């Protein structure tokens, strides 16, 4: 049973939050954050709703050391990691990984490991033009949507969320070898897609 001082502190902390304003102030931001990582409108909306519900249940857990938006984003991030973990577990993803084994052979010579002439990377730039950069980002998002779920999960955690490799290995329950293979193949796949659709 909380003491009177603990009750007062919990009440003060929960007063720092204003759940009535969450949808108006944070829903769009949280949706964009989730969609970029899960690539599915309905799932992103569900995750935002689950985030708001979890935050309401955990009002007393808010200690006021971060902003309301940061606190909600942290809750959403854990919800997204749960999705990654669920989608990356099981034999299906091992099968997907082995099905993609031939991708590397498509890009490199098997004898010396150098790029095949027709797949040698071409330089591309978005330039300083904001419109051109916006178009590039649109193509990049489309290319990311074509990635297998596990690849997209690893790539998003590593390059969008800037998670440490050890955290990704632990959260997605993959080996270090699988992680580096996935990162390598994801980059190759994105580069090939961008060269085809951007240049």
């Amino acid at each position: 049973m909380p003491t009177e001082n603990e009750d007062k502190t919990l009440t003060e902390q929960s007063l720092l939050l204003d759940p009535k304003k969450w949808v108006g102030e944070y829903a769009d931001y949280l949706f964009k954050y989730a969609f970029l990582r899960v690539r599915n409108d309905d799932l992103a909306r569900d995750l935002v709703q689950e985030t708001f519900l979890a935050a309401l249940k955990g009002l007393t857990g808010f200690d006021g050391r971060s902003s309301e938006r940061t606190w909600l984003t942290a809750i959403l991030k854990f919800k997204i990691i749960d999705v990654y973990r669920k989608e990356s577990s099981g034999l299906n993803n091992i099968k997907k990984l082995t099905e993609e084994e031939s991708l590397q052979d498509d890009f490199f010579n098997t004898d010396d490991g150098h790029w095949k002439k027709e797949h040698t990377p071409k330089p591309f730039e978005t330039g300083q033009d904001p419109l051109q950069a916006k178009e590039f980002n649109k193509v990049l998002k489309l290319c990311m949507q074509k990635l297998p779920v596990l690849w997209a999960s690893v790539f998003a955690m590593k390059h969008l969320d800037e998670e440490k490799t050890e955290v990704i290995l632990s959260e997605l329950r993959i080996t270090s070898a699988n992680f580096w293979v996935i990162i390598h193949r994801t980059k190759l796949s994105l580069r090939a897609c961008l060269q085809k659709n951007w240049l």
Side-chain angles (χ1 to χ4, degrees):
M1 190 115 191
T3 65
E4 187 176 322
N5 283 342
E6 288 172 333
D7 267 346
K8 185 177 178 186
T9 304
L10 292 174
T11 303
E12 287 170 357
Q13 288 171 347
S14 59
L15 287 175
L16 296 173
L17 300 172
D18 193 356
K20 293 176 188 170
K21 295 182 180 178
W22 287 352
V23 172
E25 290 186 17
Y26 307 119
D28 287 343
Y29 166 78
L30 294 172
F31 173 79
K32 288 176 187 171
Y33 184 94
F35 180 78
L36 190 57
R37 287 151 179 83
V38 298
R39 306 170 305 149
N40 179 301
D41 279 346
D42 293 333
L43 180 56
R45 283 189 190 92
D46 289 347
L47 288 170
V48 172
Q49 288 177 0
E50 288 175 24
T51 298
F52 288 147
L53 288 173
L56 283 171
K57 290 178 185 175
L59 283 174
T60 56
F62 181 70
D63 58 13
R65 286 185 287 170
S66 63
S67 70
E68 201 171 39
R69 177 173 138 161
T70 302
W71 182 65
L72 290 168
T73 304
I75 295 171
L76 176 59
K77 187 176 177 182
F78 285 112
K79 300 277 181 199
I80 292 168
I81 288 173
D82 287 341
V83 170
Y84 289 166
R85 188 180 293 139
K86 181 180 174 187
E87 291 179 343
S88 69
S89 65
L91 295 174
N92 288 340
N93 287 307
I94 294 169
K95 185 179 177 189
K96 280 181 191 172
L97 195 58
T98 55
E99 285 173 354
E100 298 295 335
E101 290 288 330
S102 63
L103 180 64
Q104 190 168 347
D105 294 337
D106 292 341
F107 288 95
F108 300 102
N109 292 316
T110 52
D111 55 334
D112 63 4
H114 289 96
W115 287 96
K116 288 184 178 177
K117 187 175 182 179
E118 66 271 19
H119 293 293
T120 301
K122 299 171 190 161
F124 53 88
E125 298 177 16
T126 59
Q128 299 298 321
D129 182 8
L131 183 59
Q132 193 175 17
K134 185 177 179 181
E135 287 298 315
F136 176 80
N137 286 332
K138 184 178 177 181
V139 172
L140 177 61
K141 285 179 186 176
L142 290 172
C143 289
M144 286 185 66
Q145 289 176 352
K146 294 178 182 180
L147 294 172
V149 172
L150 178 60
W151 294 18
S153 302
V154 170
F155 186 81
M157 288 182 78
K158 181 69 177 173
H159 295 289
L160 298 179
D161 296 335
E162 298 179 352
E163 289 287 358
K164 293 186 184 294
T165 302
E166 303 79 44
V167 172
I168 299 169
L169 298 179
S170 170
E171 295 294 344
L172 298 183
R173 298 182 183 114
I174 58 175
T175 66
S176 179
N178 279 347
F179 170 81
W180 291 111
V181 168
I182 290 167
I183 286 291
H184 177 70
R185 292 182 180 158
T186 301
K187 289 178 180 179
L188 289 176
S189 181
L190 287 175
R191 180 176 263 299
C193 180
L194 287 169
Q195 286 183 329
K196 182 179 179 183
N197 296 291
W198 177 247
L199 294 176

